[in-house]
Amino acid sequence: LVVSRFSVWFSGFSRVGPAKMSPLSSARTAIFSYFMVVYVFYNPTDSGAVQLNSENLDMTLASNELVFINFYAEWCRFSNILQPIFDEAADKVKEAFPDGGRVVMGKVDCDRESSVASRFHISKYPTLKIIRNGQPTKREYRGARTVEAFTEFVKKQLEDPIKEFHHLKDLEKLDTKKRVVVGYFDRRDMPEYNMFRRVATNLKEDCVFEAGFGDTVSAMHPPGHPIIVFRPDVAVSDANDETFTGNMNNFDELNIWVQEKCVPLVREITFENAEELTEEGLPFLILFHAPDDFQSIKDYKAVIETQLISEKQNINFLTADGKRFAHPLHHLGKSQSDLPLIAIDSFRHMYLFPSFKDMYAPGKLKQFLSDLYSGKLHREFHYGPDRNDDNTIEVVMINGDQKKGTTPPESTFKNLGPSNKRYTLLKDEL
């Protein structure tokens, strides 16, 4: 439309040859040329977040280290409020990181791109997801919805995830309660180190990544042959160091190996990751322990890994600091003096395992889970223990009164889920 209007405006002078063109005509020719150049080279998608669709999405994900996506719906009021803020942040991010391949802030209209929305399991608007090296992270963005917050978040995500050590003795000072992946390299410009960095970017929230170079680590590996070693959280587990034996130039192979080491079968629940764990939709089997009780954690992990590994698709095995999570204990009629103890949170109710010591009896903890699946735990809270059954759960005592004919304690962790606070968060931040 713009081109046609200028063409009509200019057509009255098109038959005037250069020799006969008046100064006015020359001026109009110059103006017309200027507007045509601006029109041709101006692209609205160059400002604000990039509009992503089924045609350009995969290429964008594959060619950028970080892609930050706003999944929105035009009919959603919160989406409309967020969009100009997100677009402005995208412009600032482009200024901060002008080189291609580092970061893209994009947006997806979920009504028009329903297949893309389904692919990323979008069920609420707006949803902000982070894709690192082509892979979605486990956590959605849940920070403040401001230009400054978005910009700082992206800068933080693009920080080097690897800490360099300059003496081998530095490795002796690592936190033994954290899982660590250590790389020994000749130099930084090795392709193996680049692959190591990509994997570290994906899993930096689950493991600590350390690397040493040159003479510092020459005694730890043959020249030209870097080594990557996993060091477990020995303070709370009985695992041993393991060396990667696969192809360090194969991203998928290295990423899978590191992920298996850094994302263990038994995880610690914190206030920072509770929402993420809740979103996984699996009931919790939780060991509540005293802050300095590392032995109970080790024993619990050993039982889970030897007896319940077949249940990992059905349950989330977790540990929780009983001091920090005092509220769930109070909800169960327990206190820190009762630690350690084990409970199930089904997201509807909570159920106590009869005795922590029973965990050591083969099959006891597995039966506890079976009773959850069968509905027995809930039934016994309503109607009392089944006859001739020794595998009964503890009846919770609150204020000295036995709970009879009532429902079990409600879930406390479900209240940390996104569905219970999403709109409050949006209203407060937008």
Side-chain angles (χ1 to χ4, degrees):
L1 180 61
V2 175
V3 174
S4 63
R5 285 178 178 174
F6 277 112
S7 298
V8 170
W9 180 83
F10 187 66
S11 62
F13 306 93
S14 61
R15 289 184 291 273
V16 180
K20 298 180 180 180
M21 188 174 290
S22 67
L24 179 60
S25 299
S26 299
R28 286 178 171 172
T29 301
I31 294 172
F32 175 76
S33 300
Y34 170 78
F35 276 106
M36 285 301 296
V37 169
V38 171
Y39 176 78
V40 169
F41 288 99
Y42 172 71
N43 184 351
T45 61
D46 287 342
S47 62
V50 175
Q51 193 72 50
L52 299 175
N53 52 51
S54 56
E55 295 181 357
N56 66 0
L57 177 64
D58 288 331
M59 180 60 71
T60 302
L61 299 183
S63 57
N64 289 277
E65 181 179 332
L66 180 73
V67 182
F68 190 15
I69 306 179
N70 171 22
F71 292 88
Y72 69 93
E74 290 188 348
W75 50 262
C76 171
R77 182 169 72 91
F78 295 114
S79 292
N80 291 328
I81 296 173
L82 178 63
Q83 187 149 314
I85 299 172
F86 198 78
D87 283 341
E88 184 179 347
D91 289 336
K92 290 188 176 296
V93 166
K94 288 176 189 175
E95 293 176 6
F97 301 96
D99 296 336
R102 292 300 307 281
V103 58
V104 164
M105 289 182 66
K107 54 190 176 185
V108 174
D109 184 335
C110 292
D111 287 334
R112 293 185 178 182
E113 300 293 334
S114 57
S115 61
V116 176
S118 298
R119 172 178 167 181
F120 288 92
H121 310 290
I122 305 301
S123 59
K124 52 190 180 295
Y125 311 105
T127 293
L128 302 175
K129 284 188 174 288
I130 306 99
I131 317 295
R132 292 198 196 109
N133 295 307
Q135 298 184 347
T137 62
K138 294 180 296 183
R139 302 172 186 173
E140 297 175 4
Y141 176 85
R142 302 202 186 283
R145 269 68 168 171
T146 66
V147 173
E148 294 75 17
F150 287 142
T151 306
E152 287 304 311
F153 173 77
V154 169
K155 290 180 179 178
K156 188 74 174 176
Q157 293 296 306
L158 292 175
E159 288 180 355
D160 193 338
I162 301 172
K163 300 177 182 178
E164 181 179 357
F165 60 90
H166 300 280
H167 304 281
L168 290 176
K169 287 187 176 181
D170 293 344
L171 298 178
E172 299 174 4
K173 303 174 184 178
L174 296 176
D175 190 343
T176 57
K177 297 189 292 295
K178 295 183 180 295
R179 297 174 295 278
V180 183
V181 183
V182 184
Y184 304 94
F185 301 92
D186 291 312
R187 56 191 187 279
R188 285 181 178 273
D189 61 355
M190 300 183 71
E192 292 88 349
Y193 178 72
N194 182 56
M195 203 64 66
F196 182 65
R197 185 184 178 282
R198 287 182 61 194
V199 171
T201 300
N202 280 9
L203 295 166
K204 63 183 179 181
E205 294 169 352
D206 300 295
C207 263
V208 174
F209 288 84
E210 300 270 350
F213 304 92
D215 293 340
T216 300
V217 298
S218 59
M220 301 300 296
H221 69 100
H225 296 279
I227 290 177
I228 295 174
V229 177
F230 170 71
R231 301 183 65 173
D233 44 355
V234 293
V236 292
S237 74
D238 293 319
N240 298 313
D241 290 8
E242 291 188 44
T243 301
F244 178 65
T245 58
N247 182 359
M248 291 188 192
N249 290 309
N250 186 313
F251 173 78
D252 290 335
E253 187 175 349
L254 179 59
N255 189 66
I256 290 172
W257 183 82
V258 174
Q259 187 172 27
E260 288 176 350
K261 305 304 176 187
C262 292
V263 185
L265 183 61
V266 180
R267 294 175 283 179
E268 180 185 10
I269 187 169
T270 64
F271 290 115
E272 290 74 26
N273 69 1
E275 192 168 346
E276 167 202 332
L277 293 172
T278 302
E279 282 187 334
E280 294 179 10
L282 298 176
F284 294 168
L285 180 68
I286 311 175
L287 165 68
F288 292 94
H289 61 87
D292 58 351
D293 181 8
F294 300 137
Q295 190 59 49
S296 293
I297 300 174
K298 284 187 175 183
D299 293 349
Y300 176 73
K301 287 184 175 181
V303 170
I304 299 300
E305 291 168 359
T306 56
Q307 300 182 29
L308 297 177
I309 193 168
S310 62
E311 300 293 331
K312 65 180 181 179
Q313 303 299 327
N314 305 316
I315 204 90
N316 257 329
F317 301 109
L318 306 172
T319 63
D321 184 329
K323 184 177 181 180
R324 295 188 68 193
F325 286 95
H327 177 67
L329 294 181
H330 178 74
H331 206 57
L332 289 165
K334 300 293 182 179
S335 66
Q336 293 184 48
S337 62
D338 297 306
L339 300 174
L341 59 83
I342 297 172
I344 285 175
D345 190 318
S346 70
F347 296 158
R348 292 184 60 198
H349 302 295
M350 297 187 73
Y351 306 96
L352 273 172
F353 187 59
S355 170
F356 175 77
K357 294 180 180 180
D358 287 347
M359 177 186 73
Y360 299 100
K364 281 280 190 177
L365 208 51
K366 188 175 183 66
Q367 184 60 50
F368 186 50
L369 293 181
S370 297
D371 291 344
L372 170 70
Y373 305 148
S374 68
K376 179 182 176 183
L377 296 185
H378 191 270
R379 185 171 64 252
E380 287 190 344
F381 259 98
H382 281 288
Y383 306 110
D386 292 345
R387 293 182 179 181
N388 302 320
D389 189 351
D390 294 329
N391 295 317
T392 57
I393 59 173
E394 177 181 345
V395 178
V396 178
M397 304 289 293
I398 298 180
N399 298 326
D401 296 325
Q402 180 173 320
K403 292 175 69 65
K404 292 183 179 179
T406 60
T407 59
E410 289 188 357
S411 166
T412 55
F413 289 98
K414 72 174 182 179
N415 296 322
L416 298 175
S419 61
N420 289 282
K421 62 181 182 180
R422 179 163 188 80
Y423 290 105
T424 300
L425 177 71
L426 285 167
K427 287 177 182 178
D428 290 344
E429 295 182 344
L430 292 178

